[in-house]
Amino acid sequence: MSDDFTTILAQLESLADPEAVAGMARYGIVGNVVYGIKMPVLRQMAKEIGKDHELAQELWAADIRETRILASLVDDRKLVDEAQMERWVADFDSWEVCDQVCSNLFGRTPHAYAKALDWSGRPEEFVKRAGFVLMARAAHKDMKTPNADLLACLPIIEREANDDRNFVRKAVNWALRDIGKRNLTLNVAAIETAERLTDQDSKNARWNGRDALRELTSPAVQARLNA
């Protein structure tokens, strides 16, 4: 156990907020240990720590909500390999840690797209969610992702849209909406996908289709894409 890790852990323990923990639990922000520290505080801590791949591994292994989010913020994306991604994704136990790790770290690696395709077909709830979070991030933030790659995600979204687990369903919807808001070509394709979903027998697929259509066909989105 490194001195840096010991210092960080002591700092986190000193910032613990039991009332915030209870509030977070109501929104599904849970974990083996939760200190209730807000994201702006964790981001500032990460900024002060700087990038440290080895420290990130120690933070992750501690199995605390805050240390795992810090791990995603301080790890060096250039040193993250597929084996590490598989180890960490298997540990996901909440939607928040899943989303933070995918957005802060996994989505910035060269393995992100391949993992999005792979994980979106896996049975584990938060592994599957991670696949769709990576799709959404690629559409929203990674301008180097070509249309063809995002178009290839739409059949997967259509295939998995009937999943009745709330954290998966919402991630599928997120990916569909973000792909459809990227540009006009993708908007047309995403709308077609959403329309097909509204005709499926599954109530979850129909919900995904209707919810996505409301945003993708809205005047605000159409005006932005046609500007």
Side-chain angles (χ1 to χ4, degrees), residues 74-85:
V74 305
D75 205 348
D76 185 343
R77 62 183 177 83
K78 296 177 182 177
L79 300 178
V80 175
D81 58 19
E82 293 186 66
Q84 177 183 331
M85 293 174 75

Side-chain angles (χ1 to χ4, degrees), residues 204-220:
N204 295 295
R206 293 196 300 273
W207 176 86
N208 266 310
R210 290 194 299 267
D211 190 75
L213 281 173
R214 274 194 294 271
E215 184 170 14
L216 297 179
T217 62
S218 68

Side-chain angles (χ1 to χ4, degrees), residues 31-34 58-65 67-68 91 93:
N32 180 49
V33 177
V34 179
E58 285 190 276
L59 290 167
W60 186 264
D63 194 10
I64 299 168
R65 173 223 174 219
T67 61
R68 288 193 161 172
D91 289 336
D93 58 3

Side-chain angles (χ1 to χ4, degrees), residues 20-50:
V21 173
M24 289 177 175
R26 288 194 290 272
Y27 293 95
I29 297 175
V30 295
N32 180 49
V33 177
V34 179
Y35 289 139
I37 302 170
K38 293 180 172 61
M39 280 305 304
V41 176
L42 295 176
R43 291 190 183 280
Q44 181 58 38
M45 286 182 65
K47 186 176 180 181
E48 293 169 0
I49 294 167

Side-chain angles (χ1 to χ4, degrees), residues 165-199:
R165 293 171 293 183
N166 192 48
F167 293 128
V168 175
R169 181 181 66 160
K170 289 189 173 182
V172 170
N173 185 265
W174 180 7
L176 178 57
R177 288 184 291 107
D178 273 12
I179 290 171
K181 292 186 291 183
R182 173 74 167 256
N183 57 47
L184 278 173
T185 298
L186 292 170
N187 180 256
V188 170
I191 287 173
E192 290 174 351
T193 299
E195 287 174 340
R196 287 194 297 274
L197 290 177
T198 63
D199 291 331

